[in-house]
Structures are given as structure tokens and as C-alpha cells.
Amino acid sequence: MENAEVARVLSEVADLLELTGGNQFKVRAYRQAAQVVDLLPMPVSELWRKGELTSLPGVGQRIAEHVGELLDTGKFSEHDRLASQVPPGVLELLSVEGVGPKTVAAAWKQLQVKDLDALEQVCRNGKLEKLPRMGAKRVEAIHKAIARYRARKGRSPLHRALPYAQALTARLRQVRGVTEAAAAGSLRRRRETVGDIDLLVAATDAEPVMRELARAPEVAQVLATGPTKCTVRLRIGLQADLRVLPPESFGAALHYFTGSKAHNIAVRSRAVRLGIKLSEYGVFDREGHRLGGASEEEVFRAVGLPWIPPELREGTGEIEAAEHGRLPALIEEKDVLGDLHVHSKASSDGRSEVAELAEEARRLGRRYLAITDHSRSRPLGLDGAKLSEHAAKIRGMDKRLAGKPHLLAGVEVDILPDGSLDLPAEVLSRLDLVVASVHSHFSDAPERMTERIVKALRTKVVHVLGHPSGRQLGVRDPYEFDLDRVLEVAREEGVAIEVNAMPERMDLSDKGCRLAKERDVQLAISSDAHNAQHLGNLSFGVWVARRGWLEKEDVLNALGFTELRRRIGRRRAAI
Ligand code: DGT
Ligand code: CA
Ligand code: CA
Ligand code: ZN
């Protein structure tokens, strides 16, 4: 069982306890344990086996035993006991943004709300508004959030699905007679959300492969089976489709099931024009003779094209670009040489010391790291004096590290509701790197939000606009603003736009990246790490960038340290 799954069950126990009026102390303990397990750098099952679970912060004997029971038996008696007291539809209400356990408990106990439909009804008929601490504004926000939740239901964010796809392909690769196993579909294209996991396996005998999938611990139920394919439901609720193909068809199938549908249609119409037949089984000539299909390259070659990276296969110009030899040389993770947005313990939500961050960055081969803690408006944010002290500490450590990696003393400064920055320009201009971000008043009118950001970009002290749309996948929609206008000003002012690589943000989006490139605006791919393990999340940002057609030249932190210093220093010289 994956850590994420264990964490999910633990946090569900916390929710259930809260809904059933359980002890607040216990609620907090389960929440903390969930968080610890989720961030664990090794499988939690390994710790259980060694009897070391209780060495984790906040994990006591009781919770350790429950986790052990879950790992050994797939069951969690405490969880099941609590779940039997709460209708399943009630628990689901917690997934609606802005609806917490207190609201759900009140709606359930006082208004008999047992599912999403019922919650929507009490939004409409005014009953929810009458509950204590509710009011018309909150009810309206909840009503809107229900609609958003419905729209995204059934899709999972990439970061939830990816570990399962990896675990399952690794498992299937072990089956005797299997030569290849891969995840295709939107997951391989690295879309930010996926509808399901599409698994492809090359083997001559399908039966043992399907049997192995059915008994995988991640799988809850087999929904359908055929001679060479099956569909299962995973414990996390996501479905997976498995198809088993003969090795000579693997490339053709991988291409077909990677999609997208729009890309496939375009490739297939090229094939028709060239008088060849393309299917998930291979490439064939008019007489039905096989021309290829073992690899994707053979498929593309048959239609006269170079191999196209999966992230580009959305039917938005990639075929034309390939045809004319103009495919972008997409940025790769190894091209990103440093990280420009990282929080240390000096931020209230930061968990690692600067030294731990530097150590992990060095291990990951990053050449530079900007420590950008929060400014004073955030809870426990830094004021000018504390920030100067912090910067001095960072610079001292930078000297000791002697470039392994280089540290930059920075800040993530709030863009206040009026567009001014949360710290004086005079303080900001003494720092090496300034990331400016919106963290409040997300529901400003679009024109107001645009002006707010534009004003911040005009201050001359900002290097990077942080998580530019404010979205959190499946949790919070992007705030509304005129991206085109912001890009125009960013170009004029020489400000880079961040591709925030937090898996739950991925912000700027892929489409935004492509627009920024067209507008000649530079991007910065940053982890926004709040602990050392998060530094590895940069890959999520790189995938977004690749889906946005970005190349090395488009990315600020693909520059070497000297070049970067010169670039960000130029800002300083200008004021
Ligand atoms: P998803 O699962 O909604 O995130 O998106 P996909 O792209 O993974 O879609 P899915 O799982 O329905 O199908 C996987 C791929 O199979 C899809 O990207 C392209 C191919 N495919 C599925 N249905 C069709 C179809 O009707 N025509 C063509 N040309 N290709 C299809
Ligand atoms: Ca899919
Ligand atoms: Ca599918
Ligand atoms: Zn932020």
C-alpha cells in the first residue's frame, strides 16, 4: 500500500472523528499522522516491518497499531467503526471547497443533509443560511463550490494518479513473458488531471498479466474482463484500463492509447492520404502487409514524421511543426539548474532549516537555491528587520557552502489588495531575488485583479510573479484576471512568470506557458518547496512547461549561476 493511501485513510479517520463529535485531541493526532506519512521519504510499510513507526513525530502506539493493521490486512477497524456511523454522502461533502467538518456536521445533524444534492437544496431554499455563523455570502460561495466540485469529480490530479501508475507498471513488468509495460493516455501526456490510468503491456499471453493486476494491493475491484483487456477500480477510486498486446504491436498501441484523440485523428488522416492503414495493432500497407508497429518511432516514420513527445500530442499544431522540422527542443528536468522559490522554517508553513534545504538541493544537483520566505502580511511573515537578519544568515551560509549550491537571499512578498508590495522597495532592493505573489482577496473583480498585479510588476523590484493564477487543482479555481495584459507588462518590465511546480498548483498552466512564450516572456520553474522533500517536485513544473512547448531558452532558471546573477542583478542596477 502506498504512503498516499495510508495518509488518505488516516485523514479520513480524522474527518470521521470530527463529524461524529470525537475528541479534538484525537482528531489532531490523526491529522498530524496523515501529514507525516504523506511526506515520508520511504515506504511506511518498511517502518512498520522494522517496528519503527512510533519513531515518527506524532505517531503514538495506538495510531501505529492501526496503521499496522491497515498494512497487514487492508482493514482499519477504527475507521470502519466510525464510517458505519456516517452516511457515505456526508463524508463526500468535505470535498467541497469551503465546507469543513463543522458545517457538514451542522447540516447533517440539524438539516438532515446526507449528500451533495441535499446540500445544494438547502443552499437554494435558505435553510443553510439560517444555521449559526452562515449568512448569505457563505451560502452563495458554497453553492458555487458545489458546481465546481461536480465539474471536476471523476478526474484525479496527476500527482495522485502517478505513483499508482508507476507501482502497477512495475508490478506487471515482473510477470513472466512480459517484455514491456507502460502507462499511456493523459497520464503519459502529463495532463494536470487524468480521467483514468491506461496500462499497456507487451506479452504473448494475456491471462497471467490480468491475474496479476487483479491481485495487486492497490486494486479494489475488477469491473470488467475480456480476453486481452480488463478494467479495474483502484482503492483510491480511480479506474485503470489494462490492455495486453503482442510485442510487435506495442509501439502502435502505445501511440494509439497515448492519444490524444485529436492527435490520433490528425495522424490517421495523414496515413489515409499516404495510403497506409494505422491501428492499435500496427502499420499496414494497402494489401494488409505489416510495415511496423513494435515501436512508436516506426509509427511516426510510416507517416513521414519524427517522433513527437507525448506532452505535445494534443492536436494543437504538433503535426504541422513536426512536418516542417520545427518541433521545439523541449526543456528537460536536467536543464533546470536551480530553484527560485523555496520556503524555510522562517515561514510559518515551512518545515526545513535552510541548511537542510541546501543539502537536499546539492544532492539533487541544483546549482543554486533562492530562499524566499513569506513577508509580514502572512501569518508569522517576516518584517523588514527580521528579513535583513534572515538574509544575513543565508549569505553567511552561502559563503560556507562555496557554491554547493549557491544560495540567494530572497523573499516571497505579498501583493497587497491595492497592488502595493508588503515590504518597502528599499528593503526589497537589498535582496537577491524577489518573488511577488497574490495570497489574499482572490475574488477581486477581474479588472481590479489585473491592475493589482500590473502595479506590482511595475515596482521595478520584482523578479518573478509567483503562482500567477492562484489555482489549486481540485480545490480552488484560478482567480480571474487578464493574463494577456499581465504578460504584456511582464515583458515590458522584464519580470519572469513562475511555473509553480507544487503538484497541486501547476500554475502557470500549460496553455499559459505557451501564450507566454508567444509573447516573449520568460518563465521560472520553481518548486515552492515548504520542506526539503518538496524540492524534488520540480518535475511537475517541467511537465507543464513541456506541455506549453517551452525550450531551455524560455526558462530563467535554466541559466547558469553567473548568467542568472547578471540577469537578476540588472534589475538592481536600474533602480
Ligand atoms: P482521460 O482519461 O479522460 O484523462 O484522457 P485520455 O486521453 O487518457 O482518454 P481515454 O482514457 O479515454 O483514452 C486513451 C486514449 O485512447 C486517448 O487519448 C486516445 C485513444 N482513444 C480513445 N478513444 C478514441 C477514439 O474514439 N478515437 C481515437 N482516434 N482515439 C481514441
Ligand atoms: Ca485515460
Ligand atoms: Ca481509458
Ligand atoms: Zn505563495
Side-chain angles (χ1 to χ4, degrees):
M1 193 176 287
E2 298 281 335
N3 290 359
E5 172 69 4
V6 174
R8 192 192 62 80
V9 177
L10 287 168
S11 100
E12 199 167 293
V13 171
D15 290 341
L16 288 165
L17 276 168
E18 214 158 357
L19 291 177
T20 51
N23 170 325
Q24 275 306 313
F25 189 71
K26 255 173 102 178
V27 172
R28 262 203 307 278
Y30 274 100
R31 282 217 198 293
Q32 198 197 346
Q35 203 183 9
V36 167
V37 169
D38 203 28
L39 295 175
L40 214 56
M42 80 273 286
V44 64
S45 51
E46 205 177 298
L47 288 181
W48 165 241
R49 238 185 311 106
K50 293 193 200 143
E52 288 172 2
L53 264 185
T54 47
S55 72
L56 295 176
V59 177
Q61 195 56 39
R62 264 180 73 94
I63 293 184
E65 275 165 21
H66 286 309
V67 169
E69 181 196 356
L70 180 64
L71 290 168
D72 286 345
T73 67
K75 277 198 182 345
F76 195 144
S77 43
E78 174 80 353
H79 173 274
D80 298 353
R81 186 182 64 76
L82 288 165
S84 69
Q85 299 170 29
V86 181
V90 170
L91 197 59
E92 189 190 7
L93 301 180
L94 291 172
S95 310
V96 178
E97 177 199 346
V99 177
K102 285 202 181 64
T103 306
V104 174
W108 171 35
K109 301 253 165 74
Q110 295 173 43
L111 303 173
Q112 284 73 51
V113 165
K114 292 201 181 92
D115 57 27
L116 210 56
D117 289 340
L119 184 65
E120 189 162 31
Q121 203 183 350
V122 296
C123 280
R124 261 198 246 108
N125 66 17
K127 285 188 180 159
L128 190 63
E129 201 182 315
K130 299 228 169 61
L131 288 183
R133 291 183 304 278
M134 255 307 154
K137 256 186 112 166
R138 268 204 72 196
V139 171
E140 196 197 317
I142 291 174
H143 202 172
K144 281 192 183 152
I146 293 173
R148 280 201 301 273
Y149 172 70
R150 284 222 166 90
R152 72 169 194 258
K153 209 176 148 183
R155 295 192 72 80
S156 297
L158 179 62
H159 71 96
R160 292 272 288 147
L162 201 58
Y164 291 88
Q166 284 160 347
L168 291 173
T169 47
R171 169 176 284 264
L172 298 179
R173 217 170 274 133
Q174 304 302 316
V175 177
R176 263 188 77 160
V178 168
T179 55
E180 277 176 283
S186 50
L187 185 130
R188 182 163 179 246
R189 304 197 309 279
R190 299 295 192 247
R191 266 193 67 177
E192 61 204 28
T193 64
V194 302
D196 67 354
I197 298 177
D198 299 285
L199 297 168
L200 296 181
V201 168
T204 39
D205 190 4
E207 213 277 322
V209 183
M210 297 200 291
R211 199 164 357 112
E212 186 62 21
L213 179 65
R215 49 179 229 118
E218 294 85 359
V219 171
Q221 195 189 348
V222 178
L223 299 175
T225 34
T228 59
K229 59 180 185 184
C230 65
T231 300
V232 300
R233 190 169 52 75
L234 305 185
R235 283 174 190 279
I236 52 163
L238 201 64
Q239 288 192 12
D241 282 338
L242 165 70
R243 290 175 191 81
V244 185
L245 298 118
E248 71 268 21
S249 296
F250 188 72
L254 186 57
H255 177 259
Y256 182 87
F257 291 110
T258 294
S260 67
K261 200 168 158 180
H263 168 89
N264 285 358
I265 291 169
V267 172
R268 195 161 308 190
S269 74
R270 259 183 93 81
V272 170
R273 261 185 282 133
L274 295 167
I276 52 182
K277 190 179 164 292
L278 211 60
S279 76
E280 61 264 49
Y281 296 103
V283 191
F284 305 90
D285 68 11
R286 257 182 259 268
E287 283 76 46
H289 296 122
R290 170 179 288 275
L291 298 174
S295 71
E296 277 193 329
E297 283 81 359
E298 287 178 10
V299 175
F300 282 111
R301 204 179 307 133
V303 292
L305 295 175
W307 183 81
I308 300 176
E311 293 94 331
L312 295 182
R313 301 184 199 167
E314 295 293 345
T316 52
E318 72 278 10
I319 312 257
E320 295 74 5
E323 190 167 27
H324 297 108
R326 282 206 286 269
L327 279 177
L330 293 183
I331 179 125
E332 294 177 32
E333 194 172 346
K334 67 170 171 49
D335 298 327
V336 181
L337 301 182
D339 198 331
L340 299 178
H341 184 168
V342 175
H343 295 271
S344 75
K345 271 193 178 164
S347 297
S348 61
D349 48 0
R351 293 281 171 271
S352 299
E353 301 287 356
V354 175
E356 297 171 77
L357 293 164
E359 168 64 23
E360 178 64 4
R362 192 188 53 77
R363 203 184 63 81
L364 292 170
R366 312 255 193 268
R367 300 197 200 158
Y368 49 89
L369 190 65
I371 306 295
T372 54
D373 284 301
H374 286 297
S375 61
R376 60 187 172 189
S377 282
R378 303 276 80 216
L380 298 178
L382 302 169
D383 60 20
K386 282 202 201 116
L387 191 57
S388 302
E389 215 175 284
H390 191 44
K393 207 181 103 189
I394 293 166
R395 286 179 177 139
M397 189 170 302
D398 175 55
K399 281 217 180 67
R400 288 195 294 280
L401 289 169
K404 285 185 174 155
H406 296 283
L407 294 185
L408 294 165
V411 69
E412 180 184 17
V413 65
D414 265 41
I415 299 177
L416 298 176
D418 69 354
S420 64
L421 301 176
D422 189 26
L423 288 165
E426 171 263 321
V427 170
L428 295 172
S429 61
R430 286 200 305 262
L431 296 168
D432 305 322
L433 187 92
V434 175
V435 178
S437 314
V438 169
H439 286 125
S440 64
H441 295 77
F442 299 117
S443 43
D444 274 357
E447 308 76 49
R448 206 185 142 104
M449 186 59 94
T450 307
E451 271 324 295
R452 182 177 169 191
I453 298 171
V454 162
K455 188 171 161 195
L457 300 190
R458 294 277 195 220
T459 55
K460 311 283 178 203
V461 290
V462 173
H463 295 100
V464 181
L465 173 64
H467 44 72
S469 86
R471 74 169 179 179
Q472 287 180 18
L473 293 171
V475 176
R476 190 167 71 211
D477 280 347
Y479 40 73
E480 289 176 60
F481 70 108
D482 182 350
L483 177 61
D484 238 333
R485 172 81 184 128
V486 167
L487 291 174
E488 185 183 301
V489 175
R491 195 186 50 75
E492 284 169 18
E493 297 288 335
V495 173
I497 304 286
E498 181 175 272
V499 180
N500 188 293
M502 271 175 85
E504 43 283 291
R505 285 193 185 264
M506 297 172 91
D507 175 19
L508 199 60
S509 69
D510 45 14
K511 288 198 184 73
C513 286
R514 204 165 168 189
L515 194 65
K517 183 183 171 81
E518 279 165 20
R519 300 285 185 277
D520 211 13
V521 173
Q522 204 150 41
L523 288 303
I525 304 176
S526 304
S527 71
D528 196 357
H530 285 69
N531 69 48
Q533 282 130 57
H534 288 166
L535 290 171
N537 284 342
L538 269 190
S539 49
F540 284 84
V542 173
W543 293 325
V544 179
R546 289 170 63 87
R547 288 181 53 82
W549 292 56
L550 297 193
E551 302 174 283
K552 210 154 103 174
E553 294 69 38
D554 304 314
V555 176
L556 178 63
N557 48 330
L559 293 175
F561 184 65
T562 315
E563 230 345 86
L564 175 93
R565 264 312 299 219
R566 194 175 308 141
R567 190 75 60 88
I568 60 181
R570 212 177 288 155
R571 292 243 74 160
R572 294 288 170 259
I575 46 175

